[in-house]
Amino acid sequence: MSRREILKKGIKGASLALAGGFIWSIATKSESKILLRPPGALKEEIFNAKCIKCGLCVEACPYNTLKLASFKDDIAIGTPYFTPREIPCYMCEDIPCTAICPTGALDVDLVSTDEKLDIKKMQVGVAVLDMQNCVAYWGIQCDACYRACPLIDEAIYLEYRRNDRTAKHAFLLPIVDPNFCTGCGKCERACITEKAAIFVLPRKIALGSVGDNYIKGWEKGADKRLENVDTSLKFKKSKAVDYLNDGEF
Amino acid sequence: MKINIVRRFIQILILILFILGNLKILNILEGNLSSSILFGGLGLSDPYAVLQIYLATFSVSATAISGALLVLFFYSIIASRAFCSWVCPVNLITDFAYFFRKKFNYAKDTRVIRLPKNFRYYFLGLSLILSFVLSTPAFEQISFVGVIQRGIIFGNVMAIGVAFFIFAFDAFILERGICSNICPLGAFYSLAGKFAFVRVEHTVENCTRCMDCKKVCPEKQVLNIVGKKNAFIKSECISCGRCIDICKHDALNFSIRHNKEN
Ligand code: SF4
Ligand code: SF4
Ligand code: SF4
């Protein structure tokens, strides 16, 4: 083989190996992130199906909050998301991101009351507080998240509690009310700890669900929830046997 | 070499307009090739993407549908597959890969894989079926066209990897494989362009059968009538105009298709 031939083969081999390696690294990436969608986003599966990946929402956002996902982000390539710790959503009154979406993947109706835009209705996610690492729960004074919240005293409020350790101070404890929290993430942005002790998660992930077993008897009309409940008893005949065979003994 | 230069100019100009729109410097084109806003008002959408979204969700907003129809109308009236050679940025990569392949003689290597030309149509069909079955726009989830065009317009370094993969595939594995064997978007536009008016027309009286055109054409099968009869060539032609540029005998030209073929 001539030198030229060897060089040629070499370029070919190296290029294919590099290209293959790149695809391999995408296919085997394991990092998984939980990402937040822009205001007005439909339920994740439908959103994914409807978003045409045009990035118009990204361009519309005056704060550069939104980004389009690339391979390293663990969601459908090209769909928009934001990372509140970097740039939160500033809850624009005119919600330009939602308004511009051509396919309705961001649905104006989900952020409107009586046909009028109402950013307080957005449900991007809900803030979750890590009591272990929030310094306010240590008794150190900090109300950064509380002050940052656009819905101060609604979405985050402070609870006062006596600090028995010093016996002369109070705890000022931030508490999130999921009924009001929009998930904008300004609290997460503001949190003073190294890794935020308050952070936004998609509502589906952060919130539990009670089911039909419990009702608030003291709330008027709360039992309405039970009207269509299936009350038939479902016993599994083999259950006792399974119990013995489950390896617990 | 005239048409090719105009073509490259337009191809790059569109990307630049998108980039400037994205940076909010010049408000002519915003968004990207999937869906965009022209002159701050006119919505345009990729008809193939909208079709997949429609099959996946059975509800698409009027904006997206009208945008898709506009684009579809545009390409089915004007030159066939003009999107592929005048707009799509992947074409820049595959053309370069082809140039590289020829220049360094990789073409003579044994062929690694064979794919029928029809593969792209099966792939197109499959993507539509999967969109319906999986309730998600199937090709859009993996679209290399999407990755490349967004990568350029919104500036994403990861797209370089994909661009390199496309280059390597076309240069070393399958000649013009991506665009003329695989890409379902190209297949979609060649179906959509079936009745397009602007076509390359072959005038057999002028033809000397030098077959220079076949040497440069990325979709050689469309030129099978060259030297045989007067005809407008098929819609698999990407309207790149290379054949027109190279033909010294004025046997090939863009012209308006009329019915008296032959
Ligand atoms: S509401 Fe405003 S700040 Fe929040 S994502 Fe939309 S455009 Fe950006
Ligand atoms: S504007 Fe809508 S379709 Fe476009 S990227 Fe944003 S969410 Fe997706
Ligand atoms: S027929 Fe001509 S214009 Fe069409 S693809 Fe081939 S070279 Fe390009």
Side-chain angles (χ1 to χ4, degrees):
Chain A
M1 258 197 292
S2 69
R3 261 179 68 149
R4 195 187 142 82
E5 247 341 74
I6 293 171
L7 195 66
K8 223 182 94 180
K9 285 259 157 56
I11 293 177
K12 178 171 173 174
S15 299
L16 289 176
L18 200 62
F22 173 73
I23 298 297
W24 185 279
S25 75
I26 295 176
T28 56
K29 64 139 179 31
S30 58
E31 184 194 8
S32 124
K33 278 200 245 168
I34 294 170
L35 298 167
L36 301 172
R37 296 304 190 183
L42 299 171
K43 275 217 310 250
E44 183 64 18
E45 311 82 65
I46 316 175
F47 175 81
N48 256 334
K50 276 204 161 188
C51 173
I52 200 168
K53 306 165 180 191
C54 61
L56 284 167
C57 54
V58 175
E59 286 177 34
C61 178
Y63 302 99
N64 292 326
T65 299
L66 304 174
K67 303 277 177 292
L68 287 187
S70 121
F71 298 105
K72 60 183 192 322
D73 312 311
D74 206 41
I75 48 170
I77 300 166
T79 55
Y81 71 94
F82 72 99
T83 318
R85 187 65 165 167
E86 281 153 26
I87 313 177
C89 166
Y90 287 85
M91 294 179 56
C92 315
E93 301 253 316
D94 55 344
I95 328 181
C97 51
T98 308
I100 206 163
C101 179
T103 61
L106 304 176
D107 186 352
V108 181
D109 291 342
L110 290 181
V111 280
S112 306
T113 327
D114 304 328
E115 312 251 306
K116 269 181 71 192
L117 289 177
D118 178 5
I119 189 67
K120 287 189 183 172
K121 270 191 76 185
M122 85 178 200
Q123 297 205 319
V124 160
V126 62
V128 175
L129 194 128
D130 168 8
M131 289 186 272
Q132 180 87 53
N133 291 302
C134 167
V135 294
Y137 281 76
W138 293 6
I140 295 173
Q141 200 199 353
C142 172
D143 56 7
C145 58
Y146 169 74
R147 296 274 163 214
C149 181
L151 297 164
I152 186 168
D153 283 327
E154 288 180 309
I156 304 185
Y157 56 90
L158 293 180
E159 196 179 277
Y160 303 90
R161 199 188 294 161
R162 181 185 150 84
N163 185 342
D164 285 333
R165 189 179 57 79
T166 64
K168 57 180 171 188
H169 298 94
F171 287 112
L172 269 67
L173 307 174
I175 302 204
V176 177
D177 183 343
N179 290 319
F180 293 100
C181 178
T182 60
C184 72
K186 287 179 90 172
C187 53
E188 180 176 338
R189 174 85 187 100
C191 182
I192 58 139
T193 54
E194 188 182 300
K195 177 166 176 272
I198 187 166
F199 41 85
V200 179
L201 294 177
R203 294 181 78 87
K204 204 172 85 185
I205 293 173
L207 298 179
S209 128
V210 182
D212 300 320
N213 292 14
Y214 303 96
I215 52 164
K216 296 175 182 165
W218 61 92
E219 256 181 26
K220 221 178 139 214
D223 52 352
K224 277 227 177 66
R225 208 155 48 83
L226 299 184
E227 265 166 21
N228 300 315
V229 166
D230 176 10
T231 51
S232 58
L233 292 176
K234 280 168 258 147
F235 286 118
K236 230 171 126 199
K237 285 212 185 94
S238 60
K239 204 172 175 191
V241 182
D242 283 348
Y243 173 66
L244 288 173
N245 292 338
D246 262 352
E248 245 175 86
F249 295 99
Chain B
M1 288 293 125
K2 241 170 108 211
I3 297 175
N4 222 28
I5 290 170
V6 180
R7 181 168 79 86
R8 284 280 178 255
F9 176 76
I10 291 185
Q11 208 169 24
I12 291 167
L13 179 74
I14 290 173
L15 291 174
I16 291 178
L17 288 180
F18 271 124
I19 293 171
L20 293 179
N22 179 29
L23 297 175
K24 304 192 173 60
I25 296 172
L26 193 66
N27 191 14
I28 295 180
L29 272 171
E30 283 168 277
N32 61 33
L33 291 173
S34 301
S35 199
S36 57
I37 296 176
L38 183 63
F39 297 121
L42 189 63
L44 301 172
S45 298
D46 171 354
Y48 176 47
V50 171
L51 181 61
Q52 289 173 69
I53 293 175
Y54 181 75
L55 288 173
T57 64
F58 285 102
S59 72
V60 183
S61 72
T63 327
I65 292 184
S66 68
L69 287 177
L70 267 175
V71 173
L72 190 64
F73 180 74
F74 182 76
Y75 286 119
S76 36
I77 290 291
I78 66 146
S80 67
R81 280 183 77 185
F83 174 83
C84 296
S85 63
W86 293 74
V87 180
C88 182
V90 172
N91 173 270
L92 289 164
I93 304 167
T94 56
D95 274 356
F96 178 67
Y98 183 76
F99 168 81
F100 193 85
R101 186 186 181 87
K102 284 273 129 79
K103 179 101 186 166
F104 297 98
N105 255 323
Y106 285 104
K108 290 211 200 86
D109 290 12
T110 44
R111 232 195 269 201
V112 191
I113 51 167
R114 252 167 223 279
L115 271 181
K117 285 263 176 212
N118 279 343
F119 179 81
R120 54 184 165 191
Y121 295 104
Y122 298 130
F123 196 27
L124 171 66
L126 184 71
S127 74
L128 295 178
I129 293 169
L130 283 182
S131 297
F132 174 70
V133 176
L134 303 177
S135 296
T136 181
F139 181 65
E140 289 316 297
Q141 305 291 12
I142 55 161
S143 168
F144 51 89
V145 184
V147 170
I148 298 296
Q149 55 113 343
R150 281 192 305 271
I152 296 173
I153 293 167
F154 297 110
N156 181 334
V157 280
M158 291 295 270
I160 296 173
V162 179
F164 188 72
F165 179 82
I166 291 175
F167 166 79
F169 186 85
D170 263 25
F172 308 118
I173 296 187
L174 187 64
E175 179 175 325
R176 297 226 180 255
I178 298 284
C179 292
S180 60
N181 295 83
I182 292 173
C183 183
L185 184 59
F188 177 86
Y189 277 123
S190 67
L191 296 177
K194 271 258 176 307
F195 305 102
F197 286 117
V198 184
R199 281 296 164 81
V200 174
E201 184 183 22
H202 176 55
T203 317
V204 76
E205 293 79 40
N206 296 348
C207 179
T208 60
R209 294 172 184 75
C210 66
M211 294 299 163
D212 277 349
C213 53
K214 281 210 176 180
K215 285 194 200 107
V216 296
C217 178
E219 297 274 359
K220 298 184 186 4
Q221 75 281 8
V222 303
L223 291 177
N224 55 9
I225 43 85
V226 161
K228 296 187 189 128
K229 58 179 182 186
N230 281 327
F232 292 92
I233 66 179
K234 284 200 301 195
S235 63
E236 270 171 2
C237 161
I238 63 171
S239 298
C240 63
R242 281 194 187 84
C243 54
I244 302 171
D245 278 343
I246 208 161
C247 183
K248 295 183 282 288
H249 315 285
D250 198 31
L252 291 160
N253 269 305
F254 277 132
S255 84
I256 308 285
R257 190 169 73 158
H258 41 82
N259 281 328
K260 47 180 189 343
E261 290 192 15
N262 277 357

